[in-house]
Amino acid sequence: MRRRLTLTVLAVTAMVSVAFLIPLGLAVKVVAADRALSLGDQESRSLASVLASETSVFALQRVVAQFNDGGDGRKAAVILPNGQRLGGKIEVPASELELARRGRAFSAASGGETRIWVPVRLSTGVVVGVVTVPNRLTQQGVWRAWLVLAGVGIAVIILAMVLADQLGRSVVRSIADLDHATQRLKAGDLDARVEPAGPPEIENMGRAVNSLAERIIELLKLEREEAADLSHRLRTPLAQLQLEADTLEHDPDRQRMGTAVRDLTQSVNSVIFELRKGRTPRQAEESDLTASVRERVAFWSVLAEEQDRQWTLTVPPIPVPVPISGGDLDAAVDALLENVLAHTPEGTSFRVAVEVSASGVALTVEDDGPGLPQGPVTERGRSGAGSTGLGLDIVRRTAEAAQGNLSIEQAESGGMRAVVRFGPIKLSG
């Protein structure tokens, strides 16, 4: 944009300068020629007045000599009725001399000069005076004036380009600042703001972006508060469920139900805490994928045994750190296991494995169920089995937060295989 603006101003200024300077240059040439010829005409008139009042040949020779002593290139001569010539040696066409002897005053140009003829009638005949003006005098100072005009034109163009460049720089800087702020907002930095500057349109756009950021913060805050309030309402039924669990007479059942309720209560409290934190930047966290998978598989194994499912777990014997908080990692593993237990028939086997390679870490959950459901199973809010459709989307977002991805494939047994890749890691020990 800056370059385009500069080139546009250059083109417009150049056209205006040419349209102004060319006629002015031609006018300078005409004025110079008129000035030189005017001086020659004045000399011819002076010569005519002398011819009319002086009849002595000696006196005429002295006057003509004085005219020729000017040194600027003009020459004067007098031709007497008897054909005698006084003054400078001037070659004149015979036709012009004959016309002047008839008493006609005129000027003619040829041979690189302009001749001004002035006839004076005396009692003895017609005395003809002629003054020559070289063409170089008619162009004297023209080239100098043209160079000055060209310099002025170039200076105007350069000045216009400098001003256009400064204007373009201010506009481009304002647009660049606006683009930088919008890119930060796009990346999730809601603290990004624009310092309104530049043309009025850009300033208004900057203020609109700032207002938009404030509005986004207000909407997110309202959404967090509503979600936190909804989560907070779950505490009452959880408390009632805890009371019901405490009334169970069978100790193993009471202990199992109490543990499950406490885990659920802790999860709800974590949700409320995360929502209340607002936009506070999270610190980089790491969690042990091996430990998380073992713990969550052990938790869901109770339900798997009740549903008469066969399952296998394959994990490395060493810790496998991944750049995800423990809560987020557990939630992702729970979503994968719950997807198998809730959406495959009872008795369906499944396998869980953690594999480490040079390209990264892969968590695989594979079942022998009926296979992939219809539609985009990882799209948020979409489900082919009547659920909320959030589970696999949570897994996908968790993987992407760890510079990885989620892929849903068909297993060799015909069931579904979910593979979560977490990206390169650094193993310790």
Side-chain angles (χ1 to χ4, degrees):
M1 179 177 180
R2 177 181 174 185
R3 180 183 178 186
R4 186 176 301 174
L5 178 61
T6 303
L7 292 178
T8 301
V9 172
L10 171 62
V12 172
T13 307
M15 288 189 295
V16 172
S17 299
V18 169
F20 175 74
L21 294 177
I22 288 181
L24 185 59
L26 295 177
V28 168
K29 182 178 181 180
V30 172
V31 169
D34 289 344
R35 183 179 64 245
L37 294 178
S38 177
L39 291 176
D41 184 66
Q42 291 178 4
E43 289 190 356
S44 65
R45 292 178 183 276
S46 300
L47 181 60
S49 62
V50 171
L51 294 178
S53 60
E54 188 64 57
T55 58
S56 171
V57 174
F58 177 76
L60 289 177
Q61 286 181 336
R62 187 174 59 183
V63 171
V64 172
Q66 290 177 352
F67 272 105
N68 292 333
D69 286 342
D72 56 359
R74 287 189 294 270
K75 295 181 180 180
V78 174
I79 303 173
L80 300 177
N82 58 8
Q84 182 181 358
R85 295 190 179 188
L86 306 178
K89 188 177 181 181
I90 302 176
E91 298 294 334
V92 296
S95 59
E96 294 181 9
L97 177 59
E98 183 63 25
L99 184 61
R101 281 181 172 174
R102 295 177 185 175
R104 183 175 178 181
F106 64 94
S107 61
S110 63
E113 62 182 10
T114 299
R115 294 173 293 279
I116 302 174
W117 296 89
V118 181
V120 177
R121 292 184 179 275
L122 299 177
S123 58
T124 58
V126 178
V127 180
V128 177
V130 59
V131 176
T132 62
V133 180
N135 288 346
R136 61 180 180 83
L137 293 182
T138 62
Q139 300 178 0
Q140 188 174 14
V142 173
W143 284 104
R144 184 184 299 108
W146 283 358
L147 290 176
V148 171
L149 292 177
V152 171
I154 294 174
V156 169
I157 292 175
I158 293 176
L159 180 60
M161 290 181 62
V162 171
L163 295 177
D165 182 71
Q166 293 297 322
L167 177 60
R169 180 182 300 177
S170 64
V171 174
V172 170
R173 185 186 298 113
S174 302
I175 295 177
D177 294 341
L178 183 61
D179 177 70
H180 179 67
T182 54
Q183 291 297 332
R184 289 176 59 191
L185 289 173
K186 178 183 176 182
D189 183 7
L190 299 183
D191 292 326
R193 294 294 182 273
V194 180
E195 186 67 30
E201 294 80 2
I202 304 299
E203 287 189 11
N204 294 335
M205 191 178 299
R207 296 189 185 95
V209 169
N210 292 340
S211 300
L212 177 62
E214 296 294 339
R215 182 57 177 164
I216 292 174
I217 292 175
E218 292 177 3
L219 294 176
L220 289 178
K221 182 179 180 180
L222 178 60
E223 183 180 357
R224 285 195 303 270
E225 292 297 333
E226 291 179 350
D229 292 344
L230 179 61
S231 301
H232 191 273
R233 294 193 193 104
L234 294 176
R235 288 182 173 180
T236 299
L238 286 175
Q240 294 176 353
L241 187 59
Q242 180 66 53
L243 293 175
E244 292 293 335
D246 292 341
T247 61
L248 293 176
E249 296 181 356
H250 194 258
D251 289 341
D253 291 341
R254 183 172 61 253
Q255 183 178 2
R256 180 169 54 83
M257 288 295 296
T259 301
V261 173
R262 284 192 296 272
D263 289 343
L264 182 56
T265 302
Q266 183 178 1
S267 298
V268 172
N269 291 335
S270 298
V271 171
I272 297 175
F273 177 74
E274 291 294 329
L275 291 172
R276 293 294 186 183
K277 285 198 304 184
R279 296 186 298 117
T280 304
R282 297 184 179 181
Q283 297 180 351
E285 299 183 43
E286 282 191 354
S287 302
D288 183 4
L289 179 61
T290 301
S292 177
V293 170
R294 282 177 178 160
E295 179 183 347
R296 302 323 297 166
V297 169
F299 174 81
W300 291 100
S301 64
V302 177
L303 181 58
E305 291 175 0
E306 290 181 357
Q307 295 181 355
D308 195 24
R309 297 176 184 270
Q310 298 293 325
W311 56 273
T312 59
L313 173 63
T314 305
V315 294
I318 58 175
V320 179
V322 290
I324 298 229
S325 66
D328 291 343
L329 183 58
D330 290 345
V333 177
D334 284 342
L336 291 173
L337 296 174
E338 184 182 9
N339 187 69
V340 175
L341 298 175
H343 302 305
T344 59
E346 294 188 6
T348 301
S349 301
F350 66 91
R351 292 162 294 281
V352 181
V354 175
E355 300 176 353
V356 180
S357 63
S359 59
V361 179
L363 167 62
T364 304
V365 177
E366 178 181 288
D367 63 66
D368 298 332
L372 296 172
Q374 296 295 328
V377 295
T378 61
E379 184 177 342
R380 188 172 182 85
R382 295 290 297 272
S383 173
S387 65
T388 62
L390 300 180
L392 291 180
D393 181 69
I394 291 175
V395 178
R396 177 187 61 80
R397 290 189 293 111
T398 301
E400 291 177 353
Q403 300 179 352
N405 59 76
L406 167 66
S407 61
I408 304 297
E409 309 165 358
Q410 186 173 12
E412 295 180 359
S413 62
M416 188 180 77
R417 177 192 292 121
V419 182
V420 184
R421 298 177 177 83
F422 292 97
I425 64 169
K426 295 182 179 179
L427 298 177
S428 58

